[in-house]
Amino acid sequence: MRAEPTCPRCGRAVRAPGLWSSDWTCAAHGAVLPRQPARRPSPEGLAAVLRDARVPVWVPWPLPAGWLVTGFLDVGDERTGARACAVALSGPNLMHGPADMLLIAEEPGVGLGAHFAGVEESAAAGVCAGGRPNATVEIRTVPTRPHQVPLWALDGAPDRAVYVGEAMGCWLWTVLWPAEAGVLLVDELELLDLRDPGMHLDIPFGAFCPRLEE
């Protein structure tokens, strides 16, 4: 696993703040928030993400049949808090073979969702500006009532399915491998924000998802 922070937009190494700049800096993208090393699928990994999260930490609940939580990722540092959080899940593809899914919540401009989707950051704003949504998820947060969030399909890299929408003032990205795994969104997923009080879920963890290191 990577041991040092990287750029959320491209995965390259970043330069830490120093005497001349208080920013983390990517040679390709300039000042960025640091993408922290991926966290293992465990109660300790989840606790580390929740400690600094400033955005939702989404998990589908109940999980799709046969699926497990397989890791976490966050972007930010001790000064900023985590301004993007990703939860990885893995399980059986409804078509054939295994599948992976990333649920990413991020503030605008972070770039983590676009990186995993294989699209430009501006694509999310463009697709959400009009047209009929392609799927919906239901989010349940405390203290608000459950409500539906529309998602729009994006043409990302050919090996994955990508959906994006807006929830609680943040982008909500759903990225699935392989592309056929997008059929999971035919049945509306119910998402919980693990930051909410009382979220003492018996989450089943699986083997670490290597997608988190791409």
Side-chain angles (χ1 to χ4, degrees):
M1 295 178 66
R2 292 192 181 102
E4 300 295 334
T6 55
C7 175
R9 296 175 180 167
C10 65
R12 298 171 183 164
V14 289
R15 187 170 65 249
L19 291 175
W20 308 111
S21 175
S22 61
D23 294 322
W24 291 85
T25 308
C26 170
H29 295 102
V32 296
L33 292 174
R35 168 178 157 177
Q36 299 298 331
R39 303 183 189 275
R40 289 289 182 181
S42 65
E44 294 76 18
L46 173 57
V49 170
L50 292 176
R51 182 183 61 239
D52 296 324
R54 301 293 185 269
V55 297
V57 180
W58 296 119
V59 67
W61 199 262
L63 295 179
W67 281 67
L68 303 169
V69 173
T70 51
F72 306 97
L73 195 62
D74 56 293
V75 177
D77 59 19
E78 65 280 356
R79 302 171 303 165
T80 65
R83 303 294 174 154
C85 292
V87 177
L89 304 104
S90 302
N93 188 351
L94 296 181
M95 307 298 287
H96 59 83
D100 299 308
M101 173 167 58
L102 290 187
L103 286 170
I104 301 168
E106 66 176 357
E107 294 182 355
V110 174
L112 185 69
H115 169 70
F116 282 109
V119 301
E120 296 294 327
E121 290 180 61
S122 59
V127 74
C128 292
R132 294 176 58 86
N134 304 100
T136 59
V137 293
E138 181 177 275
I139 63 172
R140 291 180 282 150
T141 59
V142 176
T144 61
R145 299 177 62 182
H147 64 281
Q148 289 186 327
V149 171
L151 300 177
W152 285 264
L154 283 175
D155 292 328
D159 64 336
R160 68 203 70 179
V162 177
Y163 295 85
V164 66
E166 295 180 74
M168 297 180 62
C170 298
W171 292 121
L172 168 58
W173 296 84
T174 305
V175 187
L176 303 105
W177 294 264
E180 312 89 74
V183 298
L184 275 171
L185 294 185
V186 171
D187 294 325
E188 184 177 283
L189 295 178
E190 297 181 4
L191 303 185
L192 298 180
D193 182 358
L194 294 179
R195 300 177 304 163
D196 284 346
M199 289 292 144
H200 304 303
L201 305 179
D202 186 15
I203 294 177
F205 295 107
F208 176 74
C209 178
R211 304 274 184 197
L212 290 170
E213 295 191 317
E214 293 181 358

